[in-house]
Amino acid sequence: MEAQGYTDLASALYDYIGSDRDPVQADDAPTLRPEIRVFKAAVLRMEPEEPLQPIPIGPVCLADDRAVLLALRMDEYVAKGRGIPVGAYVKGGIHSPVYLDADFLLGPEAAHLNITGVSGLATKTSLVEFLLKSVFTHYAPDDPQRGVAGVFFKRQGARSSVFGFAAAPGSELSPEELAIYEKLGIPATPFGQVVYYAPYKADGINLNTLRTHPDLLGNVKPLRWGLQEIFEYTAVLLNQDDVDAKAEALLSLIAEKVIRKNDLRYNEGINVTNFQRLAEWFNQVLESMEAENKKEWHSHHIATIYKVKNRLLNITDRCKGLVGNDDSVGDLPWGDFRKNHIYVMDVANVEPTAQDLIFTRVVAKIQEALEKNTLGVERVVIFVDELNKYAGTDTGDTYLRKKLLDISERGRYLGEVLFSAQQFRSQVHKRIVGNCGTALYGRMDMDELATPGYSNLSPAVKTKLATLPKGELMVRHPHFSQPVFVKFPRPPVMRGQDGRALYPPQPEMTFEAAIAHRLRQIEPTVSSVKIKEAIAGFPEENVLALVNKLERERPNHLVSALHNGLRGVRSRDDLPPWPQVAPVYRPEDDDDDPYG
């Protein structure tokens, strides 16, 4: 809305010259002049809409809840149960709910949401938490088959919220915020089901997370992958400038013939299930080539084999704690995602390369499961903060950016919904923000507002965006013909800094304590003392290898299995192996071999 004032004076200069008093003094003008104030406003909706008529002269009044619902064209989809509250439109002390259309927020008509605003003042993460709570409450609440789950990539360390805990004393929600929650029909309570996933540190026993306080460890699970889990995504980890077409061909052969099919013509008698066996396989291939004085193996030169070997086998060192040498796996519950659950990838303290691997694999697995309808929920909201770092206009053609583009362009058909945030929308790839059905704007920097992407906004709107207080934002949605400013309450969860103060991170656990904690996740009733007694005196490498095996097999009698597994072990070579026997090669199993 823009306002102008008119008087019978040609300009303000006439009022200044016509004054008999000292212009420095702040006295009232000697004459009260008539003034007309004109407000220019956009027409949001007319009834009846056809035939279109000019606006008649008439009284103007503040809109009530029903008028706001009609003016923003929300009445139809709210009546059909598709309304997702995004905040309250505030006028004259009255709060009217503003709803987004679920079909245009979560798909299939459109999807995705993007939030822009300066750091610290735009409260982007708080808005996502509030909106996800709104989605959980209002999206198909009575239909268990149409569930929504949330996947967060936590890259901000102690700054991000503690979803499962209420606000700390002294930072509780205000009466106005509680009233908005009640008006929008959203319970002002923390999220009920939240699970954190974090890789181990390099020691393999302590989780790489700040959630190490005993009261927080209950919902933190290890994220640990092996060769089978990550080989398909090795392109994220390999330097593309150093992996040429020959190396890519060899990688494809290893993936298809050695790992996936375990083809006896290629596996050298080794069942390659982990990085340790992959190293044995490489050594076997190279030794046989040197023994026979060969320079090629299945048309692949020995130099290429050495290069690929070096690039692959250092992955466990570059991603230590996330990628292991053995078959032990700690992963998300693929096929068993639950409605209204939040799964948080705690990667704040992880190396950037490992972060990229985690993001790429998790998103790809979600997409694959949604395509097969085997994930467990109908839709998944994936939240990515600082989007301009991973899909910026000046970002190279990385594997991660390709995955984000794929979500933005195909996700709405599958139920894979991207919620993203950044400080500068103009620095994000246009195809990603262009495919977002809903855009939200918090407080903006004036330099950002001067870029061409905001040229369609009026000066009044830009001025308001540059001065927005916390908790207010501008909404653009397919049903809204004009930008709408709304207010949203803080999410009812503990802030990260409060959580760190109330639940400070603990020192790293000793080896015995960490092993006891891990095994009690399998059998909570077992005594930590019995576990420590069972592993006392055994080499740590042997104990850790056995614990990884027990976590996979989850035996009924944990202490007995621990004693039996360590019986007679005093060195690494004494640990009983658990190899899979390679099948016997039969000529009738031959098939067409593209690598010949």
Side-chain angles (χ1 to χ4, degrees):
M1 179 182 293
E2 297 182 7
Q4 289 183 331
Y6 300 92
T7 69
D8 58 343
L9 291 171
S11 71
L13 185 61
Y14 286 83
D15 188 43
Y16 173 81
I17 295 175
S19 175
D20 294 333
R21 297 178 177 270
D22 184 352
V24 176
Q25 297 178 2
D27 291 341
D28 293 334
T31 304
L32 293 178
R33 297 184 178 277
E35 183 181 4
I36 299 175
R37 295 183 180 180
V38 178
F39 295 85
K40 184 179 180 181
V43 178
L44 299 178
R45 188 174 183 179
M46 293 183 62
E47 287 191 346
E49 293 188 314
E50 296 293 342
L52 188 64
Q53 298 291 330
I55 303 298
I57 296 176
V60 177
C61 58
L62 290 175
D64 57 15
D65 292 355
R66 176 63 180 168
V68 171
L69 199 70
L70 291 173
L72 298 180
R73 305 175 186 273
M74 302 183 294
D75 51 320
E76 180 180 356
Y77 59 83
V78 170
K80 294 180 179 179
R82 303 202 313 263
I84 305 293
V86 68
Y89 175 68
V90 183
K91 73 288 181 192
I94 303 174
H95 300 81
S96 295
V98 175
Y99 301 89
L100 304 177
D101 187 345
D103 283 357
F104 287 81
L105 178 66
L106 305 174
E109 298 298 331
H112 315 309
L113 175 140
N114 183 259
I115 310 170
T116 303
V118 297
S119 179
L121 293 174
T123 58
K124 301 183 289 294
T125 305
S126 297
L127 172 60
V128 170
E129 293 165 358
F130 163 76
L131 190 55
L132 196 61
K133 184 75 174 181
S134 180
V135 170
F136 284 176
T137 304
H138 289 274
Y139 182 76
D142 302 321
D143 189 349
Q145 303 301 320
R146 300 184 61 206
V148 177
V151 174
F152 278 59
F153 290 89
K154 180 176 176 286
R155 301 170 182 258
Q156 296 183 338
R159 289 192 294 140
S160 59
S161 303
V162 185
F163 295 98
F165 290 79
S171 61
E172 297 90 349
L173 300 179
S174 67
E176 182 187 14
E177 290 173 318
L178 291 172
I180 294 177
Y181 270 107
E182 183 178 0
K183 186 82 173 184
L184 301 180
I186 303 172
T189 55
F191 293 96
Q193 301 294 335
V194 184
V195 182
Y196 286 77
Y197 291 86
Y200 287 108
K201 293 182 178 179
D203 59 13
I205 58 173
N206 285 282
L207 291 174
N208 197 357
T209 176
L210 294 177
R211 296 176 62 85
T212 54
H213 192 278
D215 293 343
L216 304 181
L217 278 175
N219 65 340
V220 182
K221 297 183 180 297
L223 194 65
R224 180 181 171 87
W225 297 330
L227 177 69
Q228 302 278 356
E229 286 71 38
I230 68 104
F231 197 87
E232 184 179 351
Y233 311 100
T234 51
V236 181
L237 303 170
L238 302 179
N239 187 345
Q240 295 303 305
D241 297 333
D242 201 27
V243 179
D244 53 19
K246 296 177 182 179
E248 288 182 355
L250 179 57
L251 286 168
S252 298
L253 183 146
I254 295 173
E256 181 67 19
K257 297 297 183 181
V258 179
I259 297 177
R260 189 175 300 123
K261 290 187 177 180
N262 193 24
D263 194 318
L264 297 179
R265 294 165 299 171
Y266 299 88
N267 67 6
E268 300 293 327
I270 301 172
N271 191 7
V272 180
T273 60
N274 55 45
F275 276 97
Q276 183 176 353
R277 296 189 180 279
L278 180 64
E280 296 173 6
W281 177 84
F282 271 115
N283 292 335
Q284 185 73 19
V285 169
L286 292 169
E287 287 174 4
S288 63
M289 292 178 68
E290 291 175 358
E292 300 175 13
N293 197 24
K294 290 183 177 180
K295 295 297 182 183
E296 288 191 351
W297 177 84
H298 291 277
S299 75
H300 293 281
H301 195 272
I302 189 172
T304 302
I305 298 175
Y306 270 112
K307 176 194 287 188
V308 172
K309 174 190 175 183
N310 294 334
R311 301 301 182 272
L312 288 179
L313 296 185
N314 70 7
I315 288 176
T316 54
D317 290 326
R318 294 168 57 199
C319 301
K320 202 164 188 176
L322 172 65
V323 180
N325 282 310
D326 55 18
D327 295 316
S328 60
V329 176
D331 211 348
L332 277 73
W334 304 115
D336 194 28
F337 270 48
R338 302 294 183 88
K339 179 177 181 177
N340 295 356
H341 279 47
I342 294 180
Y343 304 90
V344 184
M345 306 297 106
D346 190 349
V347 297
N349 299 321
V350 180
E351 291 295 325
T353 302
Q355 287 187 5
D356 292 347
L357 175 62
I358 291 171
F359 179 85
T360 302
R361 182 178 183 271
V362 169
V363 168
K365 291 288 290 183
I366 290 173
Q367 184 172 321
E368 177 184 332
L370 287 172
E371 287 176 341
K372 298 177 180 178
N373 196 25
T374 59
L375 187 60
V377 291
E378 180 193 27
R379 303 188 183 281
V380 176
V381 171
I382 298 171
F383 175 55
V384 179
D385 200 0
E386 303 299 341
L387 183 62
N388 55 294
K389 290 185 180 179
Y390 312 107
T393 54
D394 55 352
T395 304
D397 192 20
T398 63
Y399 201 94
L400 184 55
R401 190 176 81 160
K402 290 179 182 177
K403 186 56 62 179
L404 288 167
L405 282 167
D406 189 50
I407 297 174
S408 68
E409 294 172 346
R410 296 201 310 129
R412 68 187 180 97
Y413 301 108
L414 304 173
E416 193 174 30
V417 183
L418 178 65
F419 281 16
S420 56
Q422 69 286 316
Q423 294 187 47
F424 307 109
R425 181 184 173 101
S426 61
Q427 296 180 8
V428 178
H429 197 292
K430 290 184 178 180
R431 281 163 54 193
I432 294 180
V433 293
N435 279 305
C436 291
T438 304
L440 305 177
Y441 303 84
R443 186 164 179 170
M444 305 282 290
D445 184 85
M446 287 302 295
D447 291 339
E448 173 71 5
L449 289 170
T451 59
Y454 304 92
S455 59
N456 58 339
L457 298 179
S458 68
V461 170
K462 290 182 180 181
T463 301
K464 187 167 184 178
L465 280 174
T467 57
L468 273 181
K470 278 189 174 184
E472 293 188 24
L473 54 95
M474 186 182 79
V475 184
R476 304 190 75 171
H477 190 61
H479 290 287
F480 303 163
S481 58
Q482 295 288 330
V484 179
F485 287 90
V486 301
K487 186 174 186 177
F488 73 96
R490 288 175 297 157
V493 299
M494 186 177 294
R495 297 180 302 172
Q497 55 266 41
D498 293 334
R500 187 177 175 86
L502 291 174
Y503 305 99
Q506 302 299 298
E508 290 187 358
M509 288 187 281
T510 62
F511 181 80
E512 292 78 9
I515 293 299
H517 172 75
R518 287 177 61 176
L519 292 180
R520 280 173 57 84
Q521 303 301 306
I522 303 174
E523 190 175 326
T525 58
V526 70
S527 168
S528 298
V529 176
K530 288 185 177 181
I531 295 175
K532 293 179 181 179
E533 290 176 350
I535 65 176
F538 291 98
E540 292 185 359
E541 290 185 356
N542 304 103
V543 174
L544 190 57
L546 178 60
V547 169
N548 291 337
K549 179 176 184 288
L550 295 176
E551 285 179 332
R552 296 196 303 273
E553 298 179 352
R554 306 186 74 84
N556 294 326
H557 303 288
L558 182 62
V559 176
S560 297
L562 195 60
H563 280 293
N564 293 335
L566 291 174
R567 183 177 299 162
V569 175
R570 281 297 177 270
S571 68
R572 182 174 183 179
D573 295 334
D574 292 333
L575 189 65
W578 302 286
Q580 299 183 30
V581 178
V584 179
Y585 171 65
R586 298 178 301 174
E588 57 267 27
D589 291 336
D590 282 352
D591 57 358
D592 292 333
D593 181 15
Y595 298 98

